Amino acid sequence: MVKELIIDSAPEKGVTIALLQDKQLVELSKEQANNNYAVGDIYLGRIKKIMPGLNAAFVDVGYSKDAFLHYLDLGPQVQSLIKLTKLVKNGSYKEKLLDSLKLEKDINKAGKISEVLTRNMLLPVQIAKEPISTKGPRLSSDLSIAGRYVVLVPFSSAVSISKRIKGNTERNRLKKIVESIKPANFGVIIRTVSEGKGVAELQKDLLDLIAKWEVLTSRLRMAEPTHKVLGEMDRTSTILRDILTDEFTHIYVNDPVIYEETRSYVQEISPDLEKIVKLYKHREPIFEHFGVERQIKAAFGKTVNLHGGAYLVIEHTEALHVIDVNSGNRTANKENQEENALQVNMEAAKEIARQLRLRDMGGIVVIDFIDMHKPANRKELHAYLKQCMAADRARHTILPPSKFGLVQITRQRVRPEMSIVTNEKCPACDGTGEIRSSIVLMDDIENNLSFILHEQNEKDITLCVHPYIYAYIKSGLISRRMKWYFKFGRWIKVKPISSYYLTEFHFFNAKDVEIKL
């Protein structure tokens, strides 16, 4: 599988990142300029309200809406975090690590938030879910700092390993390495990409994360409430950190500054791949050059066509997405109807897995596949959908088809859904659905001709119109153009432009510059 990353930077739109697999668009990410509430950012929050009924608190982190912190997101060692925050703020804890900090007991999993937090308390919190729609950010005080190979978890001692690393020998090897190099009172999560890596690489990554923790504690001492204490990397670096492998063949960037940042970061985390980062210099927009723009327009509409003639209809609500699978113009007789339904459903399952990643659809997704009567076929479809979704980095659960033939998926949502308008405003009606009356078109043209010739004193004029109007102006023994010659005393050049809509016309002077009316 060949992977490419196309990075488009525009001052007004921010940075848009497209991930291609075998030239097909599978992920699209956007990072707005000055995105202050990205997943992973750590703020010094102030507890605004305690809500016993919700067993949660509303926290002021500087956003227009208060952020939400549930009891289950406090983390077992939140008392140790509260203790450290108080000691650091009053200047009595000078160390950068946690060696000399006596950890508090874990909080009760079934406890009440009012037993832990109080109003106006200061608490470092991490963005777990970005602001979506009218809701503020979702927070967690179970802090973690992610690196390429490992994730650093303060106030813990556990070393856990990604479930995707299967071999027991490799799991034991990685665990022994990390246990020998991690500092006291810090836990570590070993990521999938650590498989096969040596001590030096893991240690370097861990030391980088420890340095970030030291920055956090030093900033915490002087930080004002609601201020950001530690920011996550930019979206480009985050994606590279999480997915960069030897399967990548090219990373194209159209901005020199982001190119240098990307090249430096790739050189740092994977020196062998530095040469694949390239600066795009052509005049044509980068997404158009690599066919990304066309794929975006084709993939983000309400209806998504499949290769075999079938199609999907995708509808969205606040927390629920509904996908309907239709066979379209595919026909089948009674003998192979079941087989035909299975083929369409399998093709749809592959595209649905791509659509979930591409649009970053989260919450509940309900899919209405074409009915199949054989249990074996329904089981095969469920297994294939799980296989197609295996590459999805968002946490998800796929339930087997219900007795009504519906498949339900829950998918983690941490950012607003990717939404792109694929319809364009009609240039003829400007989106109103109405155009000027064709019967007065010639009157409009003549009135403008009179103004240009008599008021602006233009000498050599070219009128550009739709080919149908061009034929009408030139038709007849005494054509409309001949009448203009008798009326204005000037010969008007007329030129057909096939891209114009029917009632569109423009005037150009002798220098081929449009005359603005």
Side-chain angles (χ1 to χ4, degrees), residues 144-153 159-166 170-171 173-175 178 188-197 202 205-206 209 212 232-233 235 237-244 265 269 393-394 415:
S144 62
I145 305 174
R148 176 155 172 78
Y149 302 119
V150 296
V151 178
L152 188 67
V153 184
V159 175
S160 54
I161 306 174
S162 167
K163 292 179 181 177
R164 294 187 179 183
I165 300 177
K166 301 296 183 184
E170 179 64 7
R171 292 174 69 88
R173 183 186 75 87
L174 291 171
K175 190 170 184 178
V178 170
V188 174
I189 301 170
I190 301 173
R191 308 184 71 175
T192 308
V193 288
S194 299
E195 191 168 8
K197 302 302 177 184
L202 296 173
D205 196 39
L206 188 58
L209 299 183
K212 287 186 178 182
E232 176 63 290
M233 294 186 298
R235 192 85 183 104
S237 299
T238 302
I239 289 175
L240 289 171
R241 179 192 69 195
D242 293 344
I243 67 174
L244 186 64
Y265 184 68
I269 64 172
R393 289 178 288 131
R415 296 182 181 87

Side-chain angles (χ1 to χ4, degrees), residues 246-264:
D246 293 337
E247 292 177 324
F248 278 81
T249 57
H250 299 99
I251 299 173
Y252 292 102
V253 190
N254 67 347
D255 182 272
V257 176
I258 297 178
Y259 163 75
E260 286 298 335
E261 291 174 355
T262 304
R263 189 183 60 81
S264 299

Side-chain angles (χ1 to χ4, degrees), residues 373-393:
H373 302 291
K374 295 180 180 179
N377 288 342
R378 293 197 293 269
K379 187 176 181 180
E380 184 180 351
L381 173 63
H382 181 239
Y384 183 68
L385 181 58
K386 290 176 74 173
Q387 179 186 329
C388 293
M389 295 269 306
D392 195 338
R393 289 178 288 131

